[in-house]
Amino acid sequence: MIGSQCDSIARSNSKTTCMKIKSAIRALEATLGDTILGVSTLGSEKGDYPEVGSANDDSFWYESKAYYLNWLYLRPTRLGAEDVVYDIGCGAGRLLFVAALCGVKRCVGLELSKHLSELARTNVGKIRLPHPPIEIRQADASIEDYSQGTVFLFCNPFGARTLETVLDQIRESLKTHPRQIRLMYIHPENDHRVLFSKTDWLEQTGEQTFPGARGIPAMYFQAGPEAGN
């Protein structure tokens, strides 16, 4: 019995050590990425909720994915030279900056938090590598204008109520500005999945997870001009 307990303790300690090593590697990768770009995107740990509430009061906390994971998540969106990318809930800007380095036309980051939007705006001015125009707006995503966007990125920034409102806004924009759009949602929760399943104007084109993502998938969608009808 004592031997069994010792084995259990050894396994627990080994698991804890492994988690610490993985966490340290993620932190190192974040620091390296920030250093190359000349920015500060607040490491890899879970951050605070926005200081102000959204219209639906369902904002989530800020947490960045690793730089290499953001790149892997973005690949299926096939970003191109004519794309205007909206990162909805951009935090300090890490995912947005990776998108900006993919040869797109323009990037817009929306962030409810005053602190994070100011940090993202400061980061834009520090990026060392060539990039397209990047605009950061402190804004409630549920009341934004999406008529210029062609690619919309979400990294689980809020609950299904705000997501539904944002999707409605995007669809309305197709009526006034008919165009082809793509959408990526990282880390969908059950209520997000239910909403997407009912959003018949969006066509799901895939769902993927990637090595090192701890099983967290991204869902991919597209819609054409006819979706605004």
Side-chain angles (χ1 to χ4, degrees):
M1 182 175 180
I2 293 176
S4 176
Q5 289 176 336
C6 289
D7 288 344
S8 177
I9 292 171
R11 285 194 297 269
S12 177
N13 289 340
S14 177
K15 184 177 180 180
T16 300
T17 300
C18 185
M19 291 176 63
K20 288 181 178 179
I21 291 172
K22 289 180 178 180
S23 179
I25 291 173
R26 287 195 297 269
L28 179 61
E29 191 269 358
T31 300
L32 179 60
D34 279 2
T35 300
I36 291 171
L37 287 182
V39 300
S40 172
T41 55
L42 302 180
S44 59
E45 299 303 318
K46 185 168 72 174
D48 294 331
Y49 288 86
E51 312 91 336
V52 294
S54 63
N56 292 309
D57 197 28
D58 61 353
S59 299
F60 292 158
W61 58 84
Y62 171 66
E63 183 177 15
S64 290
K65 303 300 180 190
Y67 274 101
Y68 82 93
L69 272 178
N70 282 329
W71 180 73
L72 290 174
Y73 280 127
L74 284 171
R75 288 184 67 187
T77 64
R78 302 183 304 279
L79 296 175
E82 295 305 312
D83 280 319
V84 177
V85 179
Y86 276 63
D87 183 1
I88 301 171
C90 70
R94 189 182 300 175
L95 176 61
L96 186 67
F97 300 155
V98 176
L101 298 177
C102 292
V104 301
K105 183 177 182 179
R106 186 163 67 93
C107 290
V108 179
L110 305 180
E111 175 53 52
L112 182 62
S113 166
K114 182 175 185 292
H115 166 65
L116 289 174
S117 61
E118 288 177 349
L119 177 56
R121 200 172 293 116
T122 298
N123 282 334
V124 170
K126 293 181 176 180
I127 298 177
R128 293 170 175 164
L129 300 179
H131 60 84
I134 302 174
E135 178 186 0
I136 305 296
R137 304 176 188 168
Q138 184 192 357
D140 186 328
S142 65
I143 54 175
E144 267 297 300
D145 175 12
Y146 296 104
S147 60
Q148 301 303 311
T150 61
V151 179
F152 301 94
L153 311 176
F154 302 78
C155 189
N156 199 22
F158 35 61
R161 287 180 298 171
T162 296
L163 177 59
E164 182 175 17
T165 304
V166 171
L167 293 179
D168 287 345
Q169 297 280 70
I170 293 173
R171 187 182 189 187
E172 282 297 312
S173 78
L174 294 177
K175 296 179 181 179
T176 56
H177 294 75
R179 64 202 187 280
Q180 189 77 26
I181 65 165
R182 284 105 71 207
L183 187 150
M184 175 182 78
Y185 200 102
I186 300 173
H187 203 166
E189 300 188 359
N190 287 338
D191 53 351
H192 300 126
R193 289 182 179 277
V194 170
L195 175 60
F196 280 126
S197 71
K198 296 177 180 178
T199 307
D200 56 7
W201 60 274
L202 277 176
E203 175 192 357
Q204 184 171 352
T205 56
E207 178 170 337
Q208 294 189 45
T209 187
F210 299 95
R214 292 177 284 179
I216 296 173
M219 300 176 74
Y220 300 90
F221 302 87
Q222 67 179 10
E226 69 282 353
N229 298 331

